[in-house]
Amino acid sequence: MKQARAGWHGVALVCGKCSRKLDGGFGRKGRTPLAKVLRKAPGLGKGRKATIGVVETKCLGLCPKNAVTVIDTRRPGEWLVVDRGEDVSALAARLLLRV
């Protein structure tokens, strides 16, 4: 088995089913999925060199109305419910807080 190194200090799991239900809901025009907006935030991303990885998953089982479920793997007991149109920069800052 081979290993590959990554600079990740944690992962943000974003519910893909919630994102599809919202049909975007984030970004300047409110049409971009949360995972895509988070990946563009400084320090977050999906590449191996990102500080916090952003991974879109299948359904996480918590289905809030007009919101997306996010789990910070460093705090698995605290699931976040991010409302449509909420400030993504505040979420990114929270994810980067414990790096």
Side-chain angles (χ1 to χ4, degrees):
M1 181 181 322
K2 295 181 182 181
Q3 290 184 341
R5 295 200 187 270
W8 292 5
H9 294 283
V11 179
L13 302 175
V14 180
C15 180
K17 186 174 180 183
C18 291
S19 293
R20 280 191 306 280
K21 282 184 178 181
L22 285 185
D23 203 22
F26 298 92
R28 283 188 310 148
K29 295 182 180 180
R31 293 189 220 155
T32 310
L34 179 60
K36 191 170 187 176
V37 174
L38 277 177
R39 283 186 190 118
K40 292 182 180 179
L44 300 176
K46 68 176 183 177
R48 295 184 322 129
K49 295 182 181 179
T51 305
I52 303 292
V54 177
V55 177
E56 192 169 59
T57 67
K58 292 188 178 201
C59 184
L60 292 172
L62 176 66
C63 301
K65 291 187 179 187
N66 295 315
V68 177
T69 304
V70 178
I71 301 173
D72 181 355
T73 58
R74 297 166 298 164
R75 296 179 225 136
E78 297 177 20
W79 290 26
L80 305 172
V81 176
V82 184
D83 292 323
R84 175 193 301 255
E86 196 168 316
D87 183 19
V88 177
S89 61
L91 174 60
R94 179 183 174 135
L95 292 171
L96 289 168
L97 188 63
R98 293 191 180 182
V99 173

